[in-house]
Amino acid sequence: MIGLLDRLARPLLYALDPEDAHRLAIRMLQVVPMPPPAKDDKRLAMRVFGLNFSNPIGIAAGFDKNAEIPDVLLRAGFGFVEVGTITPLPQAGQSRPRLFRLTRDEAVINRLGFPSQGHAAVHARLALRAQKPGIVGINLGANKVSSDRPADYVRGIEIFADVADYLAINVSSPNTPGLRDLQRADAVDDLLARVLAARDIATERFGRKPVLLKIAPDLTLTELDEIIYRARARKIDGLIVSNTTISRPTTLRDPSANEPGGLSGQPLFALSTQLLAAAYLRVENQFPLIGVGGVDSAETAVAKIEAGASLVQLYTSFVFKGLVLADEIKRDLVRLFAQNSYPRLADATGAAAADWASRKLNADNFR
Ligand SMILES: Cc1cc2nc3c(=O)[nH]c(=O)nc-3n(C[C@H](O)[C@H](O)[C@H](O)COP(=O)(O)O)c2cc1C
């Protein structure tokens, strides 16, 4: 039924401007009755930062920016949903067009710039579903015009600690000028100190909510060293690797490839997986990692896990493959189990990190 609906809706959505299509897809998902998901195979279960995930495949931030359909996405079979990025004040983001489908490359370029309904509106919506099952993470951002961006993240922790299963600090979107500077050593140290202090205060009322940092795939290894050194010292709960890239693989064929913005999807897979592996080796099991970037199958999900991820997220492949994707990946993951030696998925984490980290990504392949 869902598969049929998906097949009918797809040509219509593809005929529209990508942003209009996204809006319409959310509207449709709000009204289409989704059956509850089938129970996940026990071998897919993961316990990560104190939470029990029935499967490790999540939907990444940006798909449901304003928390309009988290429960629909959970019903589509995802093990968790990360809503946001949410900014304190409502803001419109950049001018359109700002979202481009690179169909030939199975990729997307976006320069949305955090369009957000703001903390108050999104919190009100999440408060209405707070008692429902399913893991919902909340991705926090800063307003473009903010004069104290770390304070925006602190405010996010204070507002959302009551309704979040985890909180993600997004300092890696390329479309808010200067945002990625918060990844620099001193800035990230100050930011982590402030957000973790806010979380610790909120813990008394709402229980301890894990705080994760989401980083860019364009970091140098020296920059990664600095971030992980600070993240370990400050005892962060996890790292999400990675956001979209501002680089452009020379293999891109779609005419929109040179649009400015962040590139996601299949061409991001190798770059983000390599950074994930490099991060895993530096973290030395002090906290878990979520692997994101170019996951579109059980094979790519397993590759992320073997490179060091405990959980995996995707966005772009969902645009291309639709509602059946989570179930397809989970079914194939179980099949892959029968073929390899991991009794549980959790045993695969990091098994190929050293191999991934030593692979040379040819710099000539990026511009
Ligand atoms: C249209 C679009 C909007 C996005 N918006 C956000 C966002 O608001 N916050 C964020 O942390 N990441 C955002 N992302 C990045 C994704 O969460 C993810 O990190 C990235 O797309 C790589 O995963 P993928 O290759 O599976 O898409 C966005 C991605 C896309 C394609």
Side-chain angles (χ1 to χ4, degrees):
M1 165 71 179
I2 294 300
L4 178 70
L5 234 135
D6 215 38
R7 276 202 300 281
L8 292 175
R10 200 144 291 278
L12 166 69
L13 294 174
Y14 267 63
L16 296 174
D17 158 82
E19 198 167 338
D20 292 337
H22 189 79
R23 235 5 281 145
L24 181 63
I26 290 200
R27 287 272 159 275
M28 282 163 47
L29 289 170
Q30 279 176 318
V31 295
V32 171
M34 292 269 284
K39 248 191 158 10
D40 286 328
D41 188 293
K42 280 207 277 298
R43 285 166 292 181
L44 299 181
M46 297 287 242
R47 185 166 170 81
V48 187
F49 35 75
L51 300 172
N52 291 317
F53 295 77
S54 65
N55 77 73
I57 312 296
I59 190 104
F63 189 86
D64 188 13
K65 282 182 184 283
N66 294 303
E68 293 170 289
I69 51 163
D71 296 297
V72 180
L73 294 168
L74 289 165
R75 280 185 166 231
F78 289 103
F80 62 113
V81 175
E82 189 171 311
V83 300
T85 293
I86 311 162
T87 57
L89 301 173
Q91 64 176 31
Q94 304 219 51
S95 55
R96 290 175 68 169
R98 54 189 183 173
L99 183 59
F100 305 87
R101 257 187 237 118
L102 278 60
T103 308
R104 293 178 67 187
D105 304 304
E106 288 185 39
V108 162
I109 290 177
N110 92 81
R111 51 170 180 269
L112 295 170
F114 291 166
S116 174
Q117 293 175 1
H119 282 174
V122 180
H123 183 271
R125 206 169 279 135
L126 284 167
L128 290 177
R129 65 137 336 258
Q131 304 312 319
K132 291 191 182 167
I135 295 177
V136 177
I138 299 183
N139 181 301
L140 301 170
N143 278 115
K144 185 178 176 189
V145 297
S146 172
S147 55
D148 183 358
R149 285 185 172 158
D152 284 15
Y153 294 97
V154 168
R155 190 88 201 102
I157 302 263
E158 291 168 349
I159 297 275
F160 288 100
D162 63 337
V163 291
D165 288 306
Y166 71 84
L167 297 144
I169 306 297
N170 176 16
V171 286
S172 47
S173 286
N175 303 307
T176 296
L179 192 84
R180 284 183 166 197
D181 293 347
L182 288 171
Q183 296 177 117
R184 291 208 188 120
D186 288 354
V188 87
D189 194 48
D190 173 63
L191 176 65
L192 292 180
R194 289 169 70 178
V195 296
L196 291 170
R199 188 276 309 276
D200 290 345
I201 291 170
T203 298
E204 289 160 27
R205 289 185 62 198
F206 307 118
R208 189 175 184 284
K209 300 298 164 89
V211 171
L212 283 61
L213 186 73
K214 183 165 178 179
I215 61 174
D218 306 312
L219 296 168
T220 63
L221 289 181
T222 312
E223 290 167 333
L224 183 70
D225 283 340
E226 296 278 7
I227 291 173
I228 290 181
Y229 178 76
R230 262 80 184 178
R232 286 180 64 160
R234 293 279 174 202
K235 298 198 173 358
I236 199 168
D237 298 284
L239 213 55
I240 306 177
V241 188
S242 73
N243 216 309
T244 56
T245 178
I246 53 170
S247 71
R248 295 290 181 266
T250 49
T251 49
L252 295 179
R253 292 172 303 157
D254 198 279
S256 299
N258 288 324
E259 289 289 346
L263 172 74
S264 57
Q266 202 275 328
L268 175 60
F269 176 74
L271 181 66
S272 58
T273 308
Q274 200 174 29
L275 191 78
L276 171 70
Y280 178 81
L281 295 176
R282 286 160 174 76
V283 168
E284 296 176 313
N285 288 321
Q286 295 301 298
F287 49 75
L289 307 176
I290 299 182
V292 206
V295 171
D296 60 0
S297 62
E299 285 76 10
T300 46
V302 168
K304 288 283 185 201
I305 293 167
E306 290 182 332
S310 294
L311 300 165
V312 168
Q313 290 176 319
L314 57 86
Y315 180 152
T316 303
S317 60
F318 191 51
V319 172
F320 288 106
K321 298 195 170 173
L323 276 176
V324 292
L325 183 61
D327 280 340
E328 235 175 67
I329 293 182
K330 289 188 297 182
R331 187 199 58 214
D332 292 350
L333 275 176
V334 172
R335 185 178 49 74
L336 282 180
F337 269 120
Q339 293 166 12
N340 69 31
S341 53
Y342 308 119
R344 295 171 313 138
L345 201 51
D347 300 316
T349 295
D355 178 42
W356 267 101
S358 67
R359 282 186 212 178
K360 251 204 142 14
L361 272 188
N362 189 347
D364 295 343
N365 292 343
F366 290 86
R367 56 189 141 97

